[in-house]
Amino acid sequence: MSELVIKNGKLVLPDKIFEGDISIDAGIISKVGKDLKGDKVVNAEGNYILPGLIDVHVHFREPGASSKEDWNTGSFAAASSGITTVLDMPNTQPPTTTVKLLDKKREIAASKSTVDFGFHFGASTENMDELRKVEKIASVKFYMSSTIGNLFVGNDAVLFEELKILAERDIPGIFHAENREMVQHYMQRLINEGRTDPEAYSDARPNICAAEAVNRIIFLSKMAKNRLHFCHVSTKEEVDIIARNKSILPLTAEVCPHHLFLNKEDLRKLGSLVKTNPPLRSKEDQNALWKGIQDGTIDVIATDHAPHLMESKEKDIWSAPAGVPGVETMLPLLLNEVNKGNLTLNQLAKLTSENPARIFRIKDKGKIKEGYDADLVIIDLKKEKKVRNDKLFTKCGWSPFDGWKLKGWPVMTFIRGNLIFDNGDINKIKGREVSYG
Ligand code: DOR
Ligand code: ZN
Ligand code: ZN
């Protein structure tokens, strides 16, 4: 007799859908099978069950900007939408570029997060010694141009030396790839021309900015021999370059829902609200991202959840901060695509759970499998609901997808066997830092 059994689910396993039960003991999946018995039973009522989503790209803003989000609200938002683990980015204030600052962030997350968590460490021009000694991190993040938080490595020699340190230590490097000089050049030109229309923001960071940076990093990583992962791929050129180099390099790539579901047209309509780095692109770029998902060039879908307060977003296109929230909408947006026949549930699980765990070597997560953490999401594929700003858990209180009617929603989320989201209600638990294998 197990402690808990989730019965009558359609379980999304790595290579198939299996109709049956999951038994859970001490937070771990003890068995996947049929007719399992438990002290407590949850009836999944024929709904699908996914492995909990691992969002490898969030900005939960603590320390430094807790008016926008904190580990409490951010993790509630994640839990309500099937995300059971998050990896937080280092562009907080102060940025996470020393072991000491990382330890402070660990403490904050451990005391406030309801979901499990891990961290990307920040590379700066000055922190090579820290890169040599930091432990228990998912990766080291390189901002190649300055974005929110003013953390970046703008010197290729330093960047290359840092990549060599990562290679020695077998830590992946992950990249916000935009060419800084190009961005500055085009931006200044458009500002001088007097452009203030929202689309000017996309024009100020044309595709070449991202493509050149990706191309350069691929070359430097080839020479340094480090593992590399590209965050928020947004252009058809990047998809091409990545596809051509995937077979010869330990190279993985991520796309984000805002680039998959929004384009320049939405920037024209919604203005600064959907200003983000890298910016929204053309329909053609969007199609290339979807094609990259289908042909395996893209390994991960992650949110780049980057909350900013509405009042700051009400500024003009040059002054508003860049970034959009995303943890609450990623899963329903993708389930809606499953319903439309554009994505299978097995693909979804691979892109949002199995591959993230594999790429960042997160132990015992990413699959519905005996011995793995019981991080599970029960989804109702037939449930239709509108995204509504007034129903969100994120502290920023808005979504670029407000008003979108989506079919396919999570109804229950479990972390290590704890029911943390139950049809709209959150049960606060203590999230735990992940381990790396
Ligand atoms: O648009 C963005 N916002 N891009 C980034 O790289 C950072 C992020 C943020 O932290 O707001
Ligand atoms: Zn970024
Ligand atoms: Zn980001």
Side-chain angles (χ1 to χ4, degrees), residues 59 61 91 141 143 147-148 176 232 275-278 304 306-308 322-324:
H59 300 266
R61 302 298 190 210
N91 64 334
K141 169 91 182 252
Y143 290 91
T147 170
I148 302 293
H176 177 119
H232 45 50
K275 170 180 172 179
T276 182
N277 294 335
D304 196 0
H308 294 285
V324 291

